[in-house]
């Protein structure tokens, strides 16, 4: 059999490998505390579940959706106006996604041709790079360095690269680095995109998971943003709807239109009961958003303070559902540290190298376990002696 050459770009994903290690340990009767995949374990609010159940009980909702319901599009535009002070035309500037991952995997197909250049952060969430690669693009990595608080330095992008680039992906609050970008960055980003005629995609999946009383807005709220690009947003983390796969592409009408055109040839739209759940989430009582934020902030404190007491100094992140930190000083390879951590302590984290060249030397911990499991993880790591020796 012969397969597509594009598949040569892809190896077995790190999350698949970690999942296999987890399976093997469980089969052996060994304990596992999984802090690798960012899979939320906070359930949706009851009114969202009720809306989903009521819609699922209606037999008329089992037809193809084909398009986003006008009620959903209107709700999304009102949500963006209320939450982010952004005006959107629900008919032309909003498109649903079957989860942000689906949108990130496919949007490049509507923008780039084979050989076109795409700018992606480094380190980055893997599909930021994988989506453009599927479309046959060439990648240029924009470093997110610790000394710059993990904010991309646009002025460091060579002029010839900027002139060639057709599309760029940016995301703050950032996965995996947890960084937030200052307002000036967005103003500079818009000017950069206009100067070089680059389409921008800003992923805003973590805007509600911001801690210590801080807040985060939308890329689209900045003057000129709608002229150069779009924003992705997601209900997965904020509303506990990860498995429902609900995301949105919002902003520039031309970009949204091309994505809608592409998706009309790829899927039959979001399941109607899921659309009803999405409407309930963004139009209903928002108090649960604060509850979810407080849960992640507490988990952050437990792990950062706990590991720091054990000698692994970890600064508290300002945002997201992750911790991004350097590996202990007596290690020089992030994957080796991650493998030792699971084999000796039963704690699974993601090596930073999985997120791109600049990720080496770091690991990402996902705040996806309850207090009891996190305290067990701390105890298991302490008992392993891993933080004091090889």
């Amino acid at each position: 059999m012969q397969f597509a050459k594009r598949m040569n770009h892809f190896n077995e994903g790190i999350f698949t490998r970690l999942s296999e290690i987890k399976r093997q340990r469980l089969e052996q009767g060994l304990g596992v505390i999984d802090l690798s995949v960012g899979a939320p374990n906070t359930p949706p609010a009851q009114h969202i579940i009720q809306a989903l159940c009521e819609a699922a009980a209606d037999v008329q909702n089992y037809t193809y959706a084909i398009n986003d319901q006008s009620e959903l599009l209107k709700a999304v535009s009102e949500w963006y106006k209320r939450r982010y002070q952004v005006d959107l035309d629900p008919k032309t500037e909003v498109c649903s996604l079957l989860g942000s991952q689906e949108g990130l995997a496919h949007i490049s197909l509507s923008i780039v041709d084979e050989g076109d250049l795409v700018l992606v952060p480094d380190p980055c969430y893997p599909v930021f790079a994988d989506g453009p690669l599927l479309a046959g693009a060439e990648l240029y990595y924009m470093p997110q360095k610790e000394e710059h608080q993990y904010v991309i330095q646009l002025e460091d992008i060579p002029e010839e690269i900027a002139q060639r680039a057709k599309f760029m992906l940016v995301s703050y609050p950032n996965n995996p680095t947890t960084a937030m970008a200052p307002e000036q960055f967005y103003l500079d980003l818009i000017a950069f995109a206009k100067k070089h005629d680059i389409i921008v995609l800003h992923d805003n999946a973590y805007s509600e998971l911001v801690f210590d009383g801080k807040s985060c807005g939308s890329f689209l709220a900045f003057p000129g943003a709608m002229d150069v690009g779009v924003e992705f947003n997601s209900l997965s983390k904020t509303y506990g709807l990860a498995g429902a796969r609900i995301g949105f592409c919002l902003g520039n009408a031309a970009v949204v239109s091309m994505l809608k055109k592409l998706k009309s040839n790829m899927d039959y739209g979001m399941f109607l009961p899921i659309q009803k759940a999405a409407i309930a989430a963004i139009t209903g009582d928002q108090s649960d958003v604060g509850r979810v934020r407080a849960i992640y902030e507490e988990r952050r404190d437990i792990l950062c303070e706990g590991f720091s007491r054990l000698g692994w100094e970890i600064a508290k992140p300002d945002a997201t559902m992750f911790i991004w930190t350097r590996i202990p000083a007596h290690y020089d390879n992030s994957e080796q540290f991650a493998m030792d951590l699971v084999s000796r302590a039963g704690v699974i984290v993601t090596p930073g190298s999985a997120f791109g060249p600049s990720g080496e030397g770091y690991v990402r911990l996902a705040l996806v376990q309850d207090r009891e499991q996190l305290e067990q993880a701390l105890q298991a790591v302490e008992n392993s002696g891993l933080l004091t020796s090889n």
Side-chain angles (χ1 to χ4, degrees):
M1 296 181 182
Q2 295 183 348
F3 297 96
K5 293 179 181 178
R6 70 174 62 88
M7 294 308 296
N8 295 332
H9 291 295
F10 306 100
N11 298 313
E12 181 185 56
I14 184 63
F15 297 113
T16 301
R17 291 166 53 201
L18 293 172
S19 179
E20 177 61 19
I21 292 171
K22 178 179 180 178
R23 184 191 65 79
Q24 292 175 1
R25 284 186 62 88
L26 290 174
E27 286 183 352
Q28 296 166 14
L30 300 172
V32 175
I33 299 173
D34 192 349
L35 305 178
S36 62
V37 181
N41 68 340
T42 53
Q46 190 58 44
H47 70 275
I48 301 174
I49 296 174
Q50 183 177 347
L52 176 61
C53 291
E54 289 177 356
D58 185 345
V59 295
Q60 296 185 36
N61 285 334
Y62 285 83
T63 60
Y64 290 127
I66 305 297
N67 298 310
D68 296 327
Q69 300 295 290
S70 58
E71 183 185 3
L72 175 65
L73 297 175
K74 181 174 182 289
V76 172
S77 65
E78 291 175 351
W79 169 48
Y80 249 65
K81 177 64 174 178
R82 182 179 66 252
R83 171 61 182 86
Y84 300 105
Q85 294 76 56
V86 172
D87 291 306
L88 293 168
D89 184 332
K91 294 180 180 179
T92 62
E93 296 174 340
V94 181
C95 172
S96 75
L97 308 169
L98 303 181
S100 291
Q101 179 96 356
E102 176 267 316
L104 289 164
H106 291 145
I107 191 170
S108 292
L109 294 171
S110 70
I111 296 176
V112 303
D113 293 310
E114 193 157 341
D116 284 342
L117 187 65
V118 175
L119 308 179
V120 298
D122 174 31
C124 73
Y125 184 54
V127 76
F128 281 16
D130 293 346
L133 287 174
L134 282 170
E138 177 185 341
L139 302 184
Y140 178 85
Y141 285 104
M142 303 178 289
Q144 298 186 121
K145 297 181 179 180
E146 187 174 357
E147 57 262 37
H148 298 303
Q149 292 74 53
Y150 301 108
V151 176
I152 295 165
Q153 303 298 291
L154 297 169
E155 65 272 18
D156 290 345
I157 299 172
E159 182 67 20
E160 62 272 18
I161 294 295
Q163 291 292 349
R164 283 188 56 206
K166 191 173 184 181
F167 181 39
M168 68 188 298
L169 295 100
V170 178
S171 180
Y172 296 103
N174 185 257
N175 176 12
T177 70
T178 77
M180 296 175 65
E183 290 190 359
Q184 187 61 47
F185 170 79
Y186 291 104
L187 299 174
D188 294 342
L189 173 65
I190 293 164
F192 178 84
K194 286 186 174 182
K195 177 181 178 181
H196 300 290
D197 192 22
I198 300 172
I199 295 171
V200 176
L201 189 162
H202 180 260
D203 184 38
N204 199 24
Y206 299 99
S207 62
E208 297 295 359
L209 298 185
V210 180
F211 311 130
D212 304 318
K214 298 176 182 176
S215 62
C216 177
S218 166
F219 159 69
L220 298 178
F222 290 89
M226 297 278 286
D227 298 332
V228 298
V230 294
E231 180 164 275
F232 278 13
N233 211 323
S234 166
L235 306 192
S236 294
K237 286 78 177 177
T238 304
Y239 296 99
L241 286 164
R245 313 310 302 130
I246 307 171
F248 300 100
C249 175
L250 317 109
N252 183 275
V255 178
V256 170
S257 173
M258 292 304 291
L259 182 57
K260 284 185 176 181
K261 183 178 180 180
L262 175 70
K263 283 175 61 62
S264 72
N265 289 278
M266 300 183 74
D267 63 62
Y268 285 106
M270 184 183 292
F271 185 38
L272 291 172
I274 298 294
Q275 294 196 38
K276 296 293 186 181
I279 293 167
I282 58 180
T283 63
D285 182 4
Q286 299 296 296
S287 60
D288 210 53
V289 174
R291 180 188 68 85
V292 170
R293 181 187 304 116
I295 288 172
Y296 283 113
E297 185 168 346
E298 180 188 42
R299 294 174 181 179
R300 175 203 67 169
D301 293 346
I302 291 170
L303 280 186
C304 290
E305 293 172 9
F307 278 124
S308 294
R309 284 196 302 269
L310 298 180
W312 186 16
E313 292 292 335
I314 299 179
K316 292 181 180 180
D318 290 330
T320 78
M321 58 186 297
F322 304 107
I323 294 169
W324 178 255
T325 186
R326 286 188 176 274
I327 58 179
H330 55 279
Y331 276 89
D332 58 12
N333 181 279
S334 61
E335 186 165 336
Q336 185 60 58
F337 173 66
M339 293 307 164
D340 284 355
L341 197 61
V342 66
S343 65
R344 292 173 56 177
V347 176
I348 305 180
V349 302
T350 306
S353 54
F355 301 100
S358 294
E360 181 52 69
Y362 297 82
V363 288
R364 192 194 73 175
L365 295 78
L367 304 172
V368 293
Q369 302 293 343
D370 295 333
R371 168 186 282 272
E372 182 179 357
Q373 285 72 40
L374 296 180
E375 291 175 346
Q376 289 176 4
L378 291 168
Q379 188 62 59
V381 173
E382 182 178 14
N383 294 343
S384 74
L386 192 66
L387 298 182
T388 57
S389 69
N390 285 324

